[in-house]
Amino acid sequence: REVLDHRIALVRLDADGNLDSSFGDDGVVLTSTPDTDSEAATAVAILSDGDILVGGGGKFTIETSDSSSRKKKGGTRRVSASGAILVRYDASAGYALDTNFGGGDGIAVDTQFVLGDGYILGTRVFDMGVQEDSGRIVTLTSGLHEMIRGYDLTNGALDAGSSGFGPDGSGWYEAGDFDGYSALAIASDESILVCGELRDVANTQGGDGVVTRFRADGTAILGMATVDGFASGATYLDAILVDGESVVVGGTVTVPGQTPQDPPTRAAFAAWFSAPVGSGVPADVNFVSATESAVEAPVWVRGLALSGADVVLSGDLPDTSTGTSTSGRPVWFLAKFLGD
């Protein structure tokens, strides 16, 4: 039977949006990681020396004892679980894999799987940032809970130990009965900012968007702030960036229908924290209202960028040309908020 070959694809475009033929093979670099069934890239960062870092995940086959098996008692069994992957490309060598990174092949793999309630939970990179002064890669990684993890920037090893990153290379913060982080950014002082959703189990309508600021070494919380839910709907923060002392987040809010028969709607928004997160100064919030479909149809924020003093959100929403607001193929949207 046909076997699909999943590989990490790194693509570079020129200023006109065309594939850059000077990069890789006509603008594309493909990478397969060892001992994995499949790979997926989910985050990328460019270092000051031009090197490129890619974070993602892959599926690994491991042996586990019956303590983590629901179906088999006694002995061991082979199971499939996901692991985090970091790849470094050497700009001085034409973006070949950096032989000083990982196992000498430019690839670092983290397969420290989390055992929880009788089953295995793997890890993968959601997002990542770089602390170049500290020589560290910081990832937002999934597991039993979302957590931040630190890795050595030179060789990709987990930054564990008494003087390393957090306890045993990881730091995390469970702020409520339910919380999920989705994006990460590094501030100029190398403190770590993550954003996502905070919800209490009793709040069935959803919760607030949350931004948490960690110390640079992941050992403590420096501050926390929320973007309150609107109209009792769930608020999600999906993207974050830092501009000097300001923190900008992009997200969506789910607004319940006016009657039980009315479907919920989702709108995108951007929010600015003009003071340090956790100082008590609330964020300024602006909705995407330039296009009616972005408000009436389900919408997701996928990216956030600065254009001078302006903020640009990118995302997707269903194509409403069929006459419905809740179905249809995804189409992209861009929304620009003026700095004034």
Side-chain angles (χ1 to χ4, degrees):
R1 63 185 179 89
E2 182 180 4
V3 178
L4 296 178
D5 181 15
H6 296 270
R7 290 178 287 175
I8 291 174
L10 191 61
V11 179
R12 189 166 77 181
L13 306 179
D14 61 23
D16 295 324
N18 301 312
L19 287 171
D20 184 350
S21 59
S22 67
F23 181 80
D25 184 7
D26 290 329
V28 181
V29 174
L30 296 177
T31 304
S32 295
T33 59
D35 304 321
T36 62
D37 299 325
S38 61
E39 302 88 26
T42 51
V44 64
I46 300 177
L47 306 183
S48 59
D49 62 2
D51 284 8
I52 299 175
L53 282 170
V54 171
K59 289 185 178 180
F60 298 80
T61 301
I62 63 170
E63 288 192 355
T64 179
S65 65
D66 62 339
S67 63
S68 58
S69 169
R70 286 179 170 176
K71 295 182 178 180
K72 182 177 179 180
K73 300 300 181 181
T76 62
R77 67 174 182 135
R78 295 177 65 82
V79 298
S80 178
S82 61
I85 296 173
L86 294 171
V87 184
R88 181 164 178 167
Y89 299 88
D90 187 348
S92 65
Y95 298 101
L97 291 169
D98 186 344
T99 56
N100 296 314
F101 193 81
D105 56 0
I107 301 168
V109 174
D110 183 0
T111 55
Q112 294 195 10
F113 303 104
V114 180
L115 301 181
D117 298 329
Y119 58 92
I120 288 182
L121 292 174
T123 57
R124 68 182 178 91
V125 174
F126 281 165
D127 202 358
M128 70 178 180
V130 178
Q131 300 169 327
E132 291 211 45
D133 290 344
S134 300
R136 183 186 294 127
I137 306 165
V138 181
T139 66
L140 178 61
T141 305
S142 66
L144 186 58
H145 303 283
E146 284 78 20
M147 66 186 76
I148 52 174
R149 288 170 79 80
Y151 302 87
D152 187 281
L153 181 58
T154 302
N155 58 33
L158 189 65
D159 187 11
S162 58
S163 61
F165 185 84
D168 298 325
S170 296
W172 63 88
Y173 182 61
E174 188 176 0
D177 291 321
F178 174 86
D179 60 290
Y181 292 122
S182 55
L184 175 148
I186 305 295
S188 58
D189 63 357
E190 296 201 335
S191 61
I192 305 158
L193 292 137
V194 294
C195 70
E197 182 205 17
L198 169 65
R199 182 176 64 184
D200 188 89
V201 169
N203 185 358
T204 58
Q205 295 292 342
D208 301 332
V210 60
V211 180
T212 304
R213 181 168 167 245
F214 294 85
R215 272 179 46 169
D217 62 0
T219 58
I221 300 295
L222 297 179
M224 183 176 173
T226 59
V227 178
D228 294 338
F230 305 91
S232 299
T235 305
Y236 305 89
L237 299 181
D238 302 312
I240 184 170
L241 60 82
V242 181
D243 179 32
E245 295 298 320
S246 298
V247 176
V248 185
V249 292
T252 58
V253 55
T254 302
V255 182
Q258 295 184 354
T259 70
Q261 290 74 34
D262 293 333
T265 59
R266 180 175 289 130
F269 66 89
W272 289 260
F273 291 91
S274 57
V277 168
S279 65
V281 178
D284 296 322
V285 179
N286 284 280
F287 282 92
V288 172
S289 56
T291 171
E292 183 178 353
S293 60
V295 176
E296 290 190 349
V299 55
W300 294 104
V301 169
R302 306 296 185 183
L304 179 67
L306 290 179
S307 176
D310 304 333
V311 177
V312 179
L313 285 180
S314 65
D316 60 77
L317 55 106
D319 182 359
T320 58
S321 61
T322 59
T324 67
S325 62
T326 58
S327 63
R329 62 185 180 182
V331 294
W332 288 102
F333 77 90
L334 289 173
K336 185 175 183 179
F337 296 100
L338 301 180
D340 57 0

